[in-house]
Amino acid sequence: MKVLKFGGTSVGTAERMRAVAGLIQAPTGQRIVVLSAMSGTTNALVNIAKLLYEGDTRAGTLQIEVLRQHYHIVTKELLPDEDTVAEGLKLVDESFKSIFNLTRQPLGAAGEKVILAQGELLSTRLFHLYLTRVRGERAVLLPALEFMRLDQNEEPDAAYIREHLAAQLDQYPEEQLFITQGYICRNVQGHIDNLKRGGSDYSASLIGAAAGAEEIQIWTDIDGLHNNDPRVVEDTYPIRELSFDEAAELAYFGAKILHPSSVLPAREHGIPVRLLNTMQPEAPGTLISAHTGEEAIKAVAAKDGLTAIRIKSSRMLLAYGFLRSIFDVFEKFRTPIDMITTSEVAVSLTIDDASRLPEILEELRSFGTVEVDHDLTIICLVGNLVQEQHGAAGQVFDTLRNVPLRMISYGGSPNNISILINTADKRRTLLALNEGLFRRATAAL
Ligand code: ADP
Ligand code: ASP
Ligand code: MG
């Protein structure tokens, strides 16, 4: 079994969908194809839900109609004759009917999730129709809402997913090709939910783990995971091989090509993940596996929107149990800590999710003085940093001698150095690292 996931751009037009139909023919054996919504759709649905939530039903309804018309055009471009177009338009209008129905009453969180789910339902239904009715292929449309589920902690429920996916697949022992939705799932109450933005990668990895797949392929619009953020730096290049740990760190710390949690299920089951480019299918892309290469620093990623908290207390000096009391506060408010550094009298840490910040600060003030900084960015450098003889850390700090560094974390894992900077300095930091670490390295080859 192989899992092949195609992202929004890869299924973004009728032409791209046709190309995907060709690409999924190459691997032999059983395949589960996971699709995102067509590019732009989830953003449009988020906007519609926002308008309805704010009570602007008029603008909301107008935007729904604009999107429906767009899907009518796509359907006519994708399908060749009147009969299949009529079938396609019927599928499209079913999805839009469920959105229009939600304009009748004030929109709540549950209704919003139903709206957001329509993107992946639309793309998979249209693609499946095209494959089976136009290309005459055998393919089964698997409903993700029947097997993809969150537990009471809002985390994917691996046991449930394994059992229910197997039950779905067992109904079709003769079939080789399955199509399903990324991103969407049900929560513990059985209501429609999702795996957060970019979640189709996570779906693919969860499905791969649940089905015991031999490989997970993530097809996107770039030829693999690059050594630096291609949205900021010009001359980046794809990294051929990454270990699970390296890829997990880069995904979590801002490499947008992968959803932050998407490497974890694959790592747990030792399933290789290949990042491939739909626009350039012959490019080798990136292979993520248990194996790691020799390079000292392989890649850099940046994660914005961080908040730093510094707690200063003389009670910390020579005391034990102090850190635990601090961690208890974050556990109580279910807020993960990303980075932490300590001295004898102070602890600095960063959080990504500041939604419970006021309550967290109030409790922390009972330990000492508390300072907060916003608009911070973590720069994460990943590679094989076990052997300090590479002098990697020294090279990094030399490169960044003109950038104010707010926190540094080194040694927590053998493959990562993290640095906290002001977001205003992000661009020049990424450019400086490119110049100092990668340009110099490629020039020496
Ligand atoms: P998809 O819609 O296929 O899921 P995404 O837009 O989520 O695609 O991810 C691909 C994009 O991620 C690329 O177009 C690129 O701009 C961005 N990106 C950010 N950091 C990296 C990186 N280190 N390597 C590759 N792509 C990256
Ligand atoms: N369609 C969802 C999004 O745009 C999920 C995904 O594309 O991975 O966030
Ligand atoms: Mg994505």
Side-chain angles (χ1 to χ4, degrees):
M1 172 73 81
K2 284 193 174 150
V3 176
L4 292 81
K5 176 257 170 179
F6 293 86
T9 322
S10 304
V11 291
T13 60
E15 194 196 338
R16 299 300 335 148
M17 280 209 191
R18 284 191 203 103
V20 169
L23 290 172
I24 62 176
Q25 305 304 321
T28 47
Q30 281 200 314
R31 284 146 289 158
I32 303 181
V33 174
V34 179
L35 300 188
S36 291
M38 298 178 82
S39 56
T41 299
T42 309
N43 284 348
L45 294 170
V46 166
N47 186 38
I48 288 166
K50 184 170 170 278
L51 291 168
L52 297 180
Y53 176 77
E54 288 164 354
D56 196 345
T57 315
R58 238 178 105 107
T61 309
L62 184 72
Q63 291 308 316
I64 301 170
E65 186 52 27
V66 169
L67 193 61
R68 192 177 77 96
Q69 289 305 331
H70 171 71
Y71 271 87
H72 276 222
I73 294 170
V74 169
T75 306
K76 289 173 191 158
E77 283 169 356
L78 180 68
L79 303 169
D81 55 65
E82 254 180 51
D83 287 354
T84 46
V85 167
E87 267 184 77
L89 293 181
K90 199 163 153 250
L91 290 179
V92 166
D93 284 347
E94 266 169 39
S95 258
F96 281 94
K97 199 169 157 214
S98 59
I99 307 180
F100 275 121
N101 283 342
L102 288 160
T103 60
R104 302 220 182 93
Q105 64 276 333
L107 190 75
E112 181 191 3
K113 305 275 174 62
V114 174
I115 294 179
L116 297 187
Q118 300 312 315
E120 273 68 13
L121 291 169
L122 280 162
S123 63
T124 48
R125 285 171 181 162
L126 282 175
F127 183 70
H128 179 257
L129 184 70
Y130 169 71
L131 264 190
T132 51
R133 301 277 280 113
V134 181
R135 290 181 57 119
E137 284 174 35
R138 291 177 67 121
V140 175
L141 186 59
L142 287 182
L145 296 177
E146 296 295 320
F147 60 83
M148 204 42 101
R149 176 114 11 182
L150 303 178
D151 63 16
Q152 67 278 12
N153 298 319
E154 294 171 34
E155 295 293 336
D157 185 338
Y160 184 102
I161 299 168
R162 195 178 326 113
E163 190 187 322
H164 288 77
L165 176 62
Q168 289 285 323
L169 293 172
D170 286 349
Q171 293 177 33
Y172 310 98
E174 306 294 320
E175 298 296 336
Q176 298 290 301
L177 184 58
F178 300 89
I179 315 295
T180 194
Q181 300 83 25
Y183 178 62
I184 63 174
C185 61
R186 288 188 188 274
N187 58 26
V188 77
Q189 287 90 28
H191 300 144
I192 293 183
D193 212 314
N194 61 61
L195 298 173
K196 310 232 166 69
R197 294 306 305 269
S200 298
D201 304 325
Y202 200 14
S203 300
S205 185
L206 289 163
I207 291 170
E214 71 211 58
E215 181 171 293
I216 298 163
Q217 300 181 352
I218 307 282
W219 288 83
T220 181
D221 58 3
I222 189 164
D223 56 347
L225 200 146
H226 279 219
N227 66 319
N228 205 331
D229 194 327
R231 295 164 298 181
V232 179
V233 177
E234 259 178 26
D235 49 355
T236 61
Y237 52 81
I239 303 159
R240 296 280 165 250
E241 278 193 274
L242 283 169
S243 71
F244 288 120
D245 287 347
E246 290 166 342
E249 302 251 23
L250 288 165
Y252 185 73
F253 288 112
K256 192 204 166 210
I257 185 169
L258 283 172
H259 176 281
S261 310
S262 58
V263 181
L264 308 181
R267 173 171 68 180
E268 202 180 314
H269 292 79
I271 306 169
V273 179
R274 239 176 238 288
L275 307 181
L276 295 159
N277 187 354
T278 11
M279 323 289 165
Q280 212 188 317
E282 65 296 338
T286 298
L287 175 64
I288 302 167
S289 70
H291 179 259
T292 179
E294 283 300 305
E295 307 97 300
I297 293 181
K298 287 186 178 173
V300 174
K303 178 173 171 170
D304 298 332
L306 283 259
T307 301
I309 305 169
R310 179 186 289 139
I311 307 120
K312 272 196 216 159
S313 170
S314 51
R315 274 164 51 199
M316 193 179 158
L317 198 64
L318 299 176
Y320 51 83
F322 186 81
L323 281 178
R324 198 197 59 201
S325 344
I326 289 183
F327 289 154
D328 281 347
V329 175
F330 289 87
E331 191 179 339
K332 179 171 169 192
F333 296 106
R334 299 182 60 183
T335 301
I337 297 169
D338 282 325
M339 205 173 155
I340 176 156
T341 56
T342 65
S343 78
E344 277 302 310
V345 290
V347 184
S348 281
L349 44 83
T350 67
I351 58 170
D352 175 25
D353 174 5
S355 56
R356 310 293 299 273
L357 188 62
E359 295 123 296
I360 291 172
L361 294 180
E362 196 178 317
E363 295 219 1
L364 290 178
R365 285 199 184 98
S366 65
F367 300 114
T369 54
V370 179
E371 290 163 24
V372 183
D373 273 339
H374 299 283
D375 300 324
L376 299 171
T377 290
I378 288 185
I379 302 286
C380 165
L381 295 110
V382 151
N384 183 9
L385 302 163
V386 195
Q387 300 118 314
E388 196 14 61
Q389 70 256 33
H390 284 306
Q395 213 182 337
V396 170
F397 297 122
D398 184 36
T399 298
L400 297 182
R401 61 191 168 279
N402 295 323
V403 179
L405 308 181
R406 173 76 174 70
M407 269 168 79
I408 297 163
S409 168
Y410 176 59
S413 92
N415 57 285
N416 167 281
I417 302 176
S418 298
I419 295 163
L420 190 72
I421 57 164
N422 293 320
T423 302
D425 292 324
K426 170 174 137 177
R427 198 182 142 72
R428 69 182 176 115
T429 304
L430 290 178
L431 289 169
L433 287 170
N434 213 50
E435 197 57 46
L437 301 178
F438 302 122
R439 275 257 182 86
R440 219 185 281 165
T442 39
L445 289 178

